[in-house]
């Protein structure tokens, strides 16, 4: 079996920026952060299972207000379109707190900032003892009040998806407008600095939206946020990936995912819930990790990963091919996913 590591994103940080951002990210939890990073980087390779997930992806909203051209939502039915009830969320986060969860990530298939209780949800997670609360957002719902709410409640990391500049951005993030989204990104930075919060601000975009002039994108974003990154493109409209049968996915040693109706998924790439492992109404997070996710780990370790329709179609487990990229005047080798045209 090959190593289980897979990179899903490429950072545009210099070494100094990386160290600065790690320092900010670990603020108030240095030793716990070092222990978490050690487990994150080594447990999948050592096949060591932590007592509790290192990360729980929680989909408090499966609703999204925009129609990004590259998003899987435009090409498939995700099976949910609602908000997680607050009582369900509270039960989940209290259990996570009891077991010392490090990262709770508001992400997956919808826009978390649309949830009417998102500020309270951040507050409850921090009150429960979750060390790192992370929000992935398209930025559309951000207002001055919402920015002050989530940052004041203690959010540790905010990633805003921001695909390109000007017309490139607007061609992808339909129907958001570039100048409005840029203003909202700057609002996050201003509020963060005014409150003196340690919140780390990150932007990410797809490579195709920045490839014509990546330096312009990086310069613009580095003037506002702490970290800039980009992702290889995925083509849900016309391509299928070519699976790598030897791949062992580290996500099964990292995380567990919970949808807006409380369904457990093995990872965020099960976009249409083809393999629901259970539901939080019947199974606690600890049991789901120890029993339900353990079965998924066993499939990978016994060479049976492709028995899963989700894993067989997953881009993380696809064969990779190298791609030359020019950044900061230097040539670097990244990768893209090997795929084949759909018949």
């Amino acid at each position: 079996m090959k190593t289980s590591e897979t990179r899903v994103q490429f950072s545009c940080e210099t070494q100094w920026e990386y160290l600065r951002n790690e320092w900010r990210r670990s603020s108030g939890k240095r030793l716990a952060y070092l222990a978490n990073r050690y487990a994150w980087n080594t447990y999948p390779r050592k096949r060591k299972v932590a007592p509790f997930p290192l990360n729980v992806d929680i989909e408090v909203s499966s609703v999204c207000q925009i129609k990004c051209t590259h998003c899987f939502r435009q090409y498939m039915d995700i099976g949910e379109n609602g908000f997680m009830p607050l009582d369900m969320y509270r039960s989940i986060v209290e259990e996570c707190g009891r077991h010392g969860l490090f990262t709770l990530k508001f992400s997956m298939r919808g826009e978390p900032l649309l949830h009417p209780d998102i500020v309270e949800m951040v507050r409850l997670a921090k009150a429960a003892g979750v060390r790192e609360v992370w929000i992935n957002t398209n930025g559309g719902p951000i207002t001055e009040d919402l920015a002050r709410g989530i940052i004041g409640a203690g959010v540790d990391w905010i990633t805003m998806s921001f695909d390109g500049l000007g017309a490139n951005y607007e061609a992808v993030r339909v129907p958001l407008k570039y100048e409005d989204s840029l203003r909202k990104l700057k609002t996050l930075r201003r509020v963060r600095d005014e409150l003196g919060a340690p919140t780390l601000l990150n932007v990410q975009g797809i490579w195709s939206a920045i490839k014509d002039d990546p330096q312009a994108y990086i310069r613009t974003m580095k003037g506002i946020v702490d970290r800039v990154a980009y992702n290889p493109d995925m083509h849900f409209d016309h391509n299928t990936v070519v699976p790598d049968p030897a791949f062992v996915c580290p996500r099964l040693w990292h995380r567990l995912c919970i949808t807006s109706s409380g369904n457990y998924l093995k990872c965020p790439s099960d976009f249409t819930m083809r393999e629901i492992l259970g539901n939080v109404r019947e199974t606690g997070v600890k049991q789901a990790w120890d029993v339900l996710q353990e079965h998924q780990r066993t499939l990978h370790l016994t060479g049976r990963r492709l028995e899963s329709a989700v894993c067989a179609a997953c881009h993380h487990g696809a064969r990779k091919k190298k791609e030359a990229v020019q950044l900061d005047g230097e040539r670097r080798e990244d990768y893209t996913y090997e795929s084949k045209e759909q018949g």
Side-chain angles (χ1 to χ4, degrees), residues 9-270:
Q9 189 173 84
F10 298 101
S11 168
C12 302
E13 297 164 295
T14 64
Q15 185 63 27
W16 160 246
E17 289 166 342
Y18 169 78
L19 293 173
R20 179 201 64 193
N21 291 337
E22 288 294 289
W23 186 257
R24 176 178 284 277
R25 183 178 178 185
S26 64
S27 176
K29 47 184 180 288
R30 307 280 186 217
L31 292 179
Y33 180 70
L34 289 173
N36 174 265
R37 290 296 88 190
Y38 175 80
W40 188 274
N41 291 319
T42 64
Y43 281 16
R45 292 198 302 271
K46 294 182 176 183
R47 311 302 187 227
K48 181 176 180 179
V49 181
F52 199 73
L54 305 177
N55 177 105
V56 170
D57 291 277
I58 191 158
E59 182 186 75
V60 295
S61 167
S62 52
V63 178
C64 190
Q65 85 284 19
I66 66 175
K67 296 184 180 296
C68 299
T69 56
H70 66 291
C71 179
F72 56 85
R73 291 178 65 103
Q74 313 314 318
Y75 308 102
M76 57 190 74
D77 180 5
I78 68 169
E80 293 183 27
N81 191 48
F83 298 131
M84 178 178 284
L86 188 58
D87 67 319
M88 176 185 287
Y89 171 82
R90 184 180 286 110
S91 175
I92 293 167
V93 81
E94 287 175 354
E95 181 183 1
C96 289
R98 290 195 300 272
H99 287 279
L101 175 68
F102 193 88
T103 301
L104 183 75
K105 181 182 288 186
F106 293 96
S107 62
M108 291 176 60
R109 304 170 302 166
E111 171 49 55
L113 295 186
L114 292 176
H115 198 295
D117 297 313
I118 188 62
V119 173
E120 176 67 1
M121 287 174 157
V122 173
R123 189 194 66 78
L124 286 171
K126 297 305 292 185
V130 175
R131 306 307 294 270
E132 180 177 73
V133 176
W134 180 318
I135 293 176
N136 280 4
T137 177
N138 60 49
I142 292 171
T143 63
E144 177 85 17
D145 287 346
L146 185 54
R148 290 189 176 277
I150 58 175
I151 293 174
V155 66
D156 297 278
W157 179 300
I158 300 173
T159 288
M160 185 167 166
S161 295
F162 210 111
D163 298 296
L165 305 177
N168 286 343
Y169 174 86
E170 293 180 2
V172 174
R173 294 271 152 187
V174 181
L176 300 182
K177 299 303 179 185
Y178 172 73
E179 292 296 341
D180 187 46
S181 293
L182 195 65
R183 178 181 57 79
K184 292 178 179 184
L185 188 61
K186 291 177 179 178
T187 295
L188 288 175
R189 174 60 183 265
R190 175 175 52 78
V191 169
R192 191 275 302 270
D193 291 350
E194 287 177 1
L195 295 179
T199 309
L200 193 145
L201 301 179
N202 175 63
V203 295
Q204 62 183 14
I206 54 174
W207 173 248
S208 61
I210 70 170
K211 65 182 179 62
D212 291 339
D213 192 352
Q215 293 311 126
Y217 176 81
I218 293 168
R219 284 194 304 271
T220 298
M221 294 301 153
K222 281 190 176 181
I224 306 169
V225 301
D226 305 300
R227 183 176 181 272
V228 182
Y230 63 91
N231 304 316
D233 285 73
M234 293 173 282
H235 302 282
F236 298 103
D237 54 343
H238 63 278
N239 285 350
T240 56
V241 297
V242 178
D244 181 348
F247 179 73
V248 178
C249 185
R251 288 177 155 202
L252 303 178
W253 280 261
H254 287 156
R255 70 212 311 154
L256 194 63
C257 303
I258 308 173
T259 75
S260 61
S261 61
N263 290 324
Y264 289 113
L265 303 179
K266 70 177 80 176
C267 83
S269 294
D270 187 359

